[in-house]
Amino acid sequence: MILATAIVLIVTSLLMILLVLMHKGKGGGLSDMFGGGISSSLGGSSVVERNLDRLTIGTGIIWFASIVVLGLLLKSNGVG
Amino acid sequence: MLTAITRAFRTPDLRKKLLFTLFIIVVFRIGSQLPTPGVNTEAIRQAVEGARNSDQGQLYGLVDLFSGGALLKLSVFALGIMPYITASIILQLLTVVIPRLEALKKEGQAGTTKITQYTRYLTIGLAILQATGIVAMAATGRLFPNAPDVLYKTDMFTIITMVVVMTAGTSVIMWLGELVTDRGVGNGMSILIFTQVVAVFPAQFWAIYKTKGAFAFALVMLVGLAIMAGVVFVEQAQRRIPVQYAKRMVGRRMYGGTSTYIPLKVNQAGIIPVIFASSLLYLPVLATQLWPENKWMIKLQPYLQQDNAWHMAVFFAFIIFFTYFYVAITFNPTEVADNMKKYGGFIPGIRPGRPTAEYLDYVLTRITTPGALYLGLVSLIPMVAFALMEATNDFPFGGTSILIVVGVGLDTVKQIESQLQQRNYEGFLR
């Protein structure tokens, strides 16, 4: 059980990293992080981007759930 | 003030953005509290208590500050935005050195997007490195020397799982930040930092109130508010250089003839110099943790304490250097002068072209001097307080945290206000 959850967790983690990297970066780096910088994020997101968002949110929920489950399993199993 | 807030929430567009930002902050905080699978939460709480009271807590000071206490808890978002900041700093420095990156930067929008993409890849790389470092330290018991058993199991599989989860956590943080920039208010990354810095405030206030009594509590609050007011004052300070535009006839219409000004802020660089300096000074700390037995590292160790005079001096010098460095990168007098000349503008009493550029450079250099000194002094406040009052970690108003809170706060409010002004004129700041 623990092993299966851990494997699911690793897979979703890797998927999560990949999906986030596939997004278009909208940060703009440090320069407009602190002080200054006009928000240049005009123009709506495309269909691809929207589907990517949905996929990322879905993966994120599974990822989050498996973290909680694995944490609880290890806690009940491990000798504190 | 209050009416402005209600008005902000009554504007449907803005309300959506504000609520979205709040939602992301909540998600972010939940992730910062959620322990990574395999961490013995009970043991780690005791270990953190122990570490806070010893010298160890100081070593992690700034990194722990940026992660809002998540780092020492080994939570899913333990690394926080640190990898992203480090990656941005590295790329920012590299644009000066590597011609290809400089060319990309000059390219405009497309080039900047590419640089951002590189930053994101580098962030993941750094996250893997840091996650491995932290988990390895926790597994071998070096993170908390007095409480070795913070993990249930230390076999290879568990450790790999933890590293992967933390790396994924960092990428999620990056995404959350970008979502806020995109659909919320303000700049996502800085709002996340702001959240983490502010998150520890209530606990620290409570600790002061409980241990030192009501009088000390009031005193600390008063001093903190005074410093904050001072920081706001300097952040808003600017020199306005008047610019006169010549009248031009295009067809039958008249253009120009107006007079405006170029605002030169006293602290043009914001808090980036402080972050640069602290990140650089963190590197030797990291080195001493990785190779604690090396004899050079043992010699280096005493100089890395925050209340060491040499440490403070180097920190101060770094901040002043980076202030000038960053202003030089971001503000180019020649470019501004050329632009002004192109549109028929001039500074009264100074000829357009090269003399204008020289004048701007002269004013900027002189105005940055107090700015740099101010940044250095404010960020030294907590360290001096440590040294003088033995107040160790219960002094909540660290210079860096105040600079971050005020800087990000002002910025975000200004952005909300500019959105409010699209509909009606009275905003937060008058």
Side-chain angles (χ1 to χ4, degrees):
Chain A
M1 185 66 183
I2 288 180
L3 192 72
T5 326
I7 286 170
V8 169
L9 184 54
I10 289 180
V11 169
T12 44
S13 295
L14 294 178
L15 213 67
M16 202 70 201
I17 296 172
L18 206 73
L19 284 171
V20 169
L21 282 182
M22 271 162 77
H23 279 272
K24 230 197 229 121
K26 293 230 170 74
L30 262 186
S31 40
D32 51 63
M33 211 155 140
F34 307 103
I38 324 106
S39 58
S40 57
S41 53
L42 283 171
S45 47
S46 60
V47 180
V48 185
E49 193 87 341
R50 208 165 63 222
N51 282 336
L52 200 58
D53 274 354
R54 280 184 195 149
L55 214 59
T56 320
I57 292 172
T59 319
I61 291 172
I62 300 175
W63 178 71
F64 187 82
S66 48
I67 287 176
V68 175
V69 170
L70 187 60
L72 288 178
L73 279 178
L74 281 176
K75 192 169 187 177
S76 63
N77 213 21
V79 208
Chain B
M1 183 78 196
L2 273 176
T3 53
I5 292 177
T6 51
R7 212 181 291 135
F9 270 96
R10 219 172 279 150
T11 320
D13 199 29
L14 203 53
R15 178 179 56 216
K16 224 167 112 191
K17 285 184 172 174
L18 285 173
L19 288 180
F20 183 78
T21 313
L22 282 179
F23 171 71
I24 293 284
I25 288 177
V26 169
V27 170
F28 182 52
R29 280 309 295 167
I30 291 175
S32 306
Q33 297 297 326
L34 185 72
T36 312
V39 172
N40 188 340
T41 37
E42 195 52 47
I44 214 148
R45 192 180 312 139
Q46 286 166 7
V48 169
E49 288 281 304
R52 284 257 157 77
N53 298 327
S54 67
D55 289 348
Q56 268 262 309
Q58 278 190 33
L59 272 184
Y60 299 113
L62 194 95
V63 190
D64 198 33
L65 173 81
F66 280 157
S67 69
L71 177 73
L72 290 183
K73 268 191 209 128
L74 292 180
S75 68
V76 176
F77 288 170
L79 301 176
I81 27 256
M82 237 7 211
Y84 190 82
I85 295 178
T86 322
S88 314
I89 291 175
I90 291 174
L91 270 164
Q92 195 101 49
L93 292 177
L94 283 184
T95 39
V96 187
V97 185
I98 298 178
R100 196 179 120 67
L101 284 177
E102 203 184 343
L104 268 182
K105 198 182 168 193
K106 286 218 174 100
E107 221 169 73
Q109 191 73 50
T112 323
T113 317
K114 205 129 193 202
I115 290 183
T116 312
Q117 205 56 286
Y118 290 155
T119 315
R120 299 165 47 132
Y121 295 143
L122 190 63
T123 306
I124 298 297
L126 287 174
I128 295 173
L129 274 182
Q130 287 191 15
T132 317
I134 291 273
V135 173
M137 268 162 57
T140 50
R142 240 185 280 158
L143 189 61
F144 302 108
N146 35 5
D149 287 336
V150 289
L151 304 184
Y152 288 124
K153 282 187 289 184
T154 51
D155 59 305
M156 209 56 202
F157 187 66
T158 319
I159 286 180
I160 288 178
T161 316
M162 288 182 70
V163 171
V164 170
V165 166
M166 278 189 188
T167 313
T170 309
S171 77
V172 170
I173 292 177
M174 199 159 75
W175 188 53
L176 291 180
E178 280 161 9
L179 278 178
V180 170
T181 313
D182 198 20
R183 277 174 227 170
V185 274
N187 178 291
M189 291 296 168
S190 39
I191 290 210
L192 292 188
I193 293 185
F194 177 86
T195 314
Q196 296 299 60
V197 171
V198 172
V200 284
F201 273 9
Q204 280 176 329
F205 288 150
W206 184 241
I208 285 184
Y209 184 70
K210 255 168 77 179
T211 51
K212 302 265 169 73
F215 180 69
F217 177 73
L219 199 71
V220 167
M221 288 300 251
L222 223 64
V223 170
L225 280 181
I227 298 176
M228 224 174 243
V231 171
V232 170
F233 183 71
V234 181
E235 289 291 323
Q236 297 281 61
Q238 49 178 281
R239 163 99 185 253
R240 295 178 171 174
I241 295 179
V243 178
Q244 185 76 41
Y245 279 94
K247 279 189 178 142
R248 289 192 302 170
M249 291 285 273
V250 179
R252 280 165 54 186
R253 300 185 60 183
M254 197 81 122
Y255 287 99
T258 50
S259 66
T260 50
Y261 55 83
I262 304 176
L264 290 182
K265 280 171 76 180
V266 171
N267 178 21
Q268 188 96 351
I271 69 153
I272 296 175
V274 182
I275 293 185
F276 271 36
S278 352
S279 308
L280 266 186
L281 280 182
Y282 179 64
L283 287 182
V285 176
L286 206 69
T288 51
Q289 280 165 2
L290 287 179
W291 303 285
E293 288 90 22
N294 191 309
K295 68 168 188 256
W296 287 98
M297 295 304 162
I298 291 172
K299 269 186 198 160
L300 202 62
Q301 194 101 49
Y303 295 106
L304 296 177
Q305 294 294 334
Q306 281 204 349
D307 45 8
N308 184 288
W310 282 105
H311 184 271
M312 285 193 230
V314 170
F315 189 52
F316 192 72
F318 265 158
I319 287 179
I320 288 184
F321 169 74
F322 276 125
T323 313
Y324 274 99
F325 177 79
Y326 200 75
V327 169
I329 290 184
T330 47
F331 190 88
N332 186 350
T334 322
E335 213 178 287
V336 175
D338 280 352
N339 264 337
M340 259 160 53
K341 197 164 82 176
K342 217 184 284 170
Y343 293 105
F346 60 92
I347 299 169
I350 288 154
R351 299 177 59 163
R354 208 163 58 98
T356 304
E358 274 164 11
Y359 175 71
L360 282 179
D361 193 36
Y362 168 76
V363 172
L364 193 66
T365 316
R366 297 234 310 200
I367 212 173
T368 305
T369 312
L373 287 175
Y374 141 82
L375 267 187
L377 287 177
V378 171
S379 28
L380 276 185
I381 288 175
M383 301 190 184
V384 174
F386 285 151
L388 284 185
M389 316 193 301
E390 305 267 309
T392 50
N393 275 338
D394 46 7
F395 190 72
F397 290 111
T400 319
S401 20
I402 290 192
L403 284 173
I404 291 177
V405 167
V406 172
V408 177
L410 274 179
D411 227 43
T412 312
V413 169
K414 265 183 201 159
Q415 213 174 12
I416 296 175
E417 185 176 71
S418 75
Q419 296 215 346
L420 255 182
Q421 271 176 350
Q422 289 173 355
R423 287 164 193 271
N424 37 34
Y425 285 109
E426 275 173 37
F428 295 107
L429 304 166
R430 259 157 238 201

